[in-house]
Amino acid sequence: TRITNKRTRYYKMVVILLLILIIVILLLTHLIRHYSPIISTITGLAAKYACSSVFIANRTVEQQRKENIISSHLKCVTMTVDNNDLSASASLFGFASRKAIYRPGLGATLISGLTEKQIRSQKFNLPSPPNVNQDNIPWPMGDKIVDDSVPSNINQKALENAINSLFIEKNPKVPIRTHAVVVVYDGKLIGEKYASGFSRKSKLLSMSLAKSITSTLMGILVQEKGLNIDEPAPVPEWININDPRHNITTRNLLQQTSGLDFQESYSKNCDVLRMLFIEGDMGHYAASLPLSDEPGSKFVYSSGNTNILSRIIRQQLGDKDYYSFPYEKLFYKIGMNSFVMEVDASGTFVGSSYAWGTARDWARYGLLYYNRVASSDGHGGGRYGFQFYLNKPATKDTTKRRFPNVPTDAFYAAGVQGQDVFIIPSEKLVVARLGATTASDYEWGADEFLAAVINATK
C-alpha cells in the first residue's frame, strides 16, 4: 500500500510538472510571437548601427554603446563584429539574431527581405572618389584654412564661449552630448570644436538630415530631367488612376502632405521602425500603405515619404547612373568628399536617415544653401518647406516660431537627437551641430546658442 501511494504521488507530481512545463512553453510561445517583431527590430537596429559605426565611423562597439544616438536601446543586446566578413551581428539573450554587412561605397546594409547571398551579389556602378588630399586644398573645397584671421566684427571670446557652452553638461541626468560644432560666417570657417574622441575627420550620422539631402537630389533631378512635381508622382504602386493614391504628387511627398497612413511614432510595431529594420525595400513598403488623409490636405512628418522620393530618383535615373548621381552631381562638387549614403537591401539609398559625413561636410552642405531662399509655402503650421524646416511664424499664431531669438529667414535641416544644420542668410551664418541628445524634443539649447553666435558676429 505504501509503495502504491508513493507511486500515485510520483505520477501526480509528474503530471503537475508536465502541465507546468506545457503552460510555460505556451506562455513563451505567445510572448515570442507577440514580441518577436519588437525584439527583431531592436537587434536589427543594433546590428545596423554597430556595422555602420565600426566600418564607416571607425568607432568600436564599446564606444558606440556609450556615444551612439541609440545606445539606450542596446544595454541588453549582444553585439559582435567580424572584421574578416565586414559585418556585425546582434541578438537579445540569444534570440532574434540579426546581421548587417558593410560594402565599401555603400555603407552598412541590414539583411532584410533578401538573403545575404542575394545582397552580396548585387552590382553597383559606383563613382571613384576625388584623388585629392583635402588638407592641401583651401576651405571650403578642402580643409586648409589659408587665412585664419577673423573678421574684425567677430567677438572671438564671445564666440568661443558660445561654442564651449555646448560641451558643458549642465544636467548629467539629461546630457546633451554634443559631438561637433562648426560655425561659418560669410563663407569663412570661424569656429569649430569636437568632443573627446572626435575630430574634423570623424564621420557622423545624419539621421533625418538625410531628408534634406534627398530633397536637394530631387531638385537636381527636376532640373536635369524635367520631372513635374505637381503631376502624380511616378510611383508604380499608384499607377492605376482609380487608386486614390494616384493623386499624390511629388510636391506632396516633398512637403510631407502625401496623406499616407504612415506612423512615425517610434513606438512598438510603428511603420518607421518596421521600414528601417524589418523591410528590405523601404520605398516599396511606404508606397504600399493606404491613405489616411486626402493628398495635400494635412502635414504629417514621415520618413516613408522621403524613401519613396529616393526610389523615384532611382527609377527615373536607372541603376547605371543612380549610384554616382549624388556624388558627382552634389557631394564632390562642393567638397563633401567624406560623404557616404547607405542603401537598403533592395539597393535604394535610405534617403530618410542614413548618410555619414564630417561636421565640416555638413557645414559645406549648409553653404550650398547660403543666400538661397527656402520654400515660402510651408506646411506643418507654415514651418516646413521641401524637407527643410523654416523658422517662420506658425500660420495660426504669428507671434510664435521655433527659435524666437533667431531671424525668420533662417531655415534648417534637422535629425533626431540634435543633428542640425542652420542657414541664416540675414546674419551670413551657417552652423552645423551634431550629437546624441536624448532630452525632450532633443533640446540642446539651440535657440540660446544661435542667439549668442549672432551677437558674437555683430
Side-chain angles (χ1 to χ4, degrees), residues 58-127:
N58 295 316
R59 314 298 289 173
T60 66
V61 170
E62 290 71 24
Q63 287 173 319
Q64 185 208 26
R65 287 185 184 275
K66 295 178 181 178
E67 311 162 343
N68 197 274
I69 59 176
I70 40 81
S71 59
S72 60
H73 300 280
L74 306 179
K75 294 177 181 178
C76 299
V77 176
T78 299
M79 293 183 287
T80 57
V81 173
D82 188 331
N83 289 299
N84 295 320
D85 194 41
L86 298 182
S87 68
S89 300
S91 63
L92 186 63
F93 303 118
F95 291 101
S97 180
R98 301 290 303 280
K99 183 178 182 179
I101 61 172
Y102 171 76
R103 292 171 291 177
L106 300 168
T109 300
L110 189 63
I111 305 300
S112 302
L114 299 173
T115 66
E116 180 177 348
K117 183 178 180 180
Q118 288 174 317
I119 296 173
R120 287 191 183 275
S121 66
Q122 294 168 342
K123 304 297 182 184
F124 299 90
N125 185 26
L126 294 170

Side-chain angles (χ1 to χ4, degrees), residues 87-262:
S87 68
S89 300
S91 63
L92 186 63
F93 303 118
F95 291 101
S97 180
R98 301 290 303 280
K99 183 178 182 179
I101 61 172
Y102 171 76
R103 292 171 291 177
L106 300 168
T109 300
L110 189 63
I111 305 300
S112 302
L114 299 173
T115 66
E116 180 177 348
K117 183 178 180 180
Q118 288 174 317
I119 296 173
R120 287 191 183 275
S121 66
Q122 294 168 342
K123 304 297 182 184
F124 299 90
N125 185 26
L126 294 170
S128 299
N131 186 23
V132 298
N133 183 352
Q134 287 189 288
D135 289 339
N136 299 326
I137 300 173
W139 168 266
M141 287 302 295
D143 288 323
K144 185 177 181 180
I145 308 301
V146 177
D147 179 9
D148 59 0
S149 63
V150 176
S152 59
N153 60 303
I154 305 297
N155 184 328
Q156 289 182 263
K157 187 60 178 178
L159 178 63
E160 182 180 333
N161 289 340
I163 293 174
N164 288 340
S165 71
L166 296 187
F167 294 83
I168 299 171
E169 298 295 355
K170 298 175 182 177
N171 183 358
K173 294 183 178 179
V174 189
I176 61 174
R177 293 209 273 308
T178 297
H179 292 161
V181 174
V182 175
V183 178
V184 178
Y185 177 79
D186 201 16
K188 186 170 185 176
L189 199 158
I190 61 169
E192 68 181 328
K193 185 172 182 176
Y194 299 90
S196 177
F198 293 88
S199 73
R200 63 181 176 87
K201 299 291 187 180
S202 299
K203 293 178 184 177
L204 303 165
L205 178 59
S206 66
M207 299 308 290
S208 288
L209 289 178
K211 290 181 172 65
S212 301
I213 295 284
T214 301
S215 174
T216 304
L217 295 175
M218 180 58 73
I220 297 171
L221 180 74
V222 168
Q223 284 185 328
E224 296 195 352
K225 300 294 183 180
L227 180 69
N228 188 335
I229 66 172
D230 291 313
E231 291 181 351
V235 176
E237 291 83 356
W238 311 337
I239 196 169
N240 189 330
I241 61 173
N242 295 318
D243 189 321
R245 299 171 300 180
H246 180 76
N247 294 323
I248 299 173
T249 66
T250 303
R251 182 185 293 273
N252 294 151
L253 293 168
L254 285 164
Q255 293 188 316
Q256 303 282 24
T257 60
S258 68
L260 291 172
D261 189 12
F262 187 96

Side-chain angles (χ1 to χ4, degrees), residues 273-284:
L273 292 180
R274 176 175 172 178
M275 179 184 69
L276 292 175
F277 305 111
I278 301 295
E279 298 294 330
D281 188 336
M282 299 186 192
H284 169 68

